[in-house]
Amino acid sequence: MKVIIGNRAYSSWSLRGWLAAKQSLLPFETVVVPMDTPEWKSGAAKAGMPSGKVPVLWDHDVPVWDSMAMIMWLADKGGHDRFWPREWPARGLAYAMSAEMHSGFAPLRAGCPMNLKQRFPTFQPTAEIMADIARIEALWTEARQRFGEETGEPWLFGRFGAADIMYAPVCTRIDTYGLPVGGVAAAYVKAVLNHPWMREWTEAAKAETFPFDRYPIPGGVPA
């Protein structure tokens, strides 16, 4: 298998797709295509991207694009229990939370783009951003209290899985922009950022030297 991703420092959807491939435990190759280069803008760099976007999974000659589709495909290939809770009530909540992340939270996405190279200590979130954070905190708290805490593990549903993958970029945003969250969310963010796969991704992101200026937010300092 091959996973095509964009810049690790800025591409939240690439992070989700790559984490899904790691979670499958199936062997794969990672191919980085720097975004917003002249080649990217002209389309010349987008060979192998049916939608013109990243991430894309190639499983032999089968392309699967969009991170949610990749999770579904890899769960079919590697086992649904690796990605989703076994119990039906927990699985239903995990499906719904993942779908809400996939389609929602536009103010948070637009106002706090993923950035693993900088932090913004003076950032002032809008009311709309904080409304998104409040909703996310409520979801995390529900999952943890109903299905996660009794396992002794820090993940949303006891074992690291698809819901954690979908919300991993939110954890980076909370850290990058210093967004205020309560104790349950703060502990969860710390656990996600300290996951070995997240540390691997972040270290590679900080080593990137690709020029990228799509998100010119003032007040950034090196992360």
Side-chain angles (χ1 to χ4, degrees):
M1 294 194 306
K2 176 173 67 175
V3 176
I4 302 175
I5 63 172
N7 308 43
R8 288 182 176 90
Y10 307 106
S11 180
S12 57
W13 291 109
S14 292
L15 171 58
R16 293 182 176 100
W18 183 85
L19 286 174
K22 295 285 275 189
Q23 181 70 7
S24 75
L25 298 184
L26 299 170
F28 70 97
E29 171 192 3
T30 302
V31 177
V32 181
V33 179
M35 301 183 298
D36 290 1
T37 61
E39 293 79 12
W40 176 277
K41 292 176 181 178
S42 71
K46 297 183 180 181
M49 302 180 196
S51 68
K53 299 177 182 179
V54 287
V56 181
L57 168 70
W58 281 89
D59 190 348
H60 299 281
D61 60 348
V62 178
V64 182
W65 60 95
D66 188 287
S67 59
M68 271 299 290
M70 290 171 63
I71 288 173
M72 294 165 64
W73 179 269
L74 291 164
D76 287 343
K77 298 276 288 192
H80 281 257
D81 286 351
R82 287 208 55 76
F83 288 86
W84 303 105
R86 290 192 179 98
E87 300 78 13
W88 286 112
R91 185 169 289 198
L93 180 59
Y95 285 166
M97 286 177 61
S98 298
E100 186 169 350
M101 182 68 253
H102 188 267
S103 62
F105 307 118
L108 177 62
R109 296 177 194 275
C112 301
M114 192 171 93
N115 187 337
L116 298 180
K117 284 182 171 288
Q118 293 180 296
R119 285 193 171 89
F120 298 85
T122 62
F123 182 78
Q124 296 295 317
T126 65
E128 291 78 12
I129 289 172
M130 289 311 302
D132 279 353
I133 289 296
R135 172 59 180 163
I136 289 167
E137 280 200 80
L139 291 170
W140 288 356
T141 299
E142 180 181 0
R144 289 287 300 146
Q145 291 180 346
R146 290 179 61 192
F147 305 111
E149 289 178 348
E150 64 184 21
T151 68
E153 296 294 326
W155 315 117
L156 294 174
F157 293 91
R159 295 178 300 158
F160 189 83
D164 303 292
I165 289 168
M166 289 301 295
Y167 283 90
V170 172
C171 295
T172 74
R173 287 173 160 102
I174 289 171
D175 181 63
T176 293
Y177 297 94
L179 302 177
V181 294
V184 172
Y188 178 66
V189 168
K190 182 178 180 180
V192 170
L193 297 182
N194 283 325
H195 191 288
W197 297 339
M198 287 295 294
R199 291 201 303 268
E200 178 184 346
W201 178 278
T202 301
E203 288 171 7
K206 291 181 177 180
E208 289 178 342
T209 58
F210 314 126
F212 189 82
D213 57 5
R214 189 188 300 187
Y215 307 134
I217 296 176
V221 298

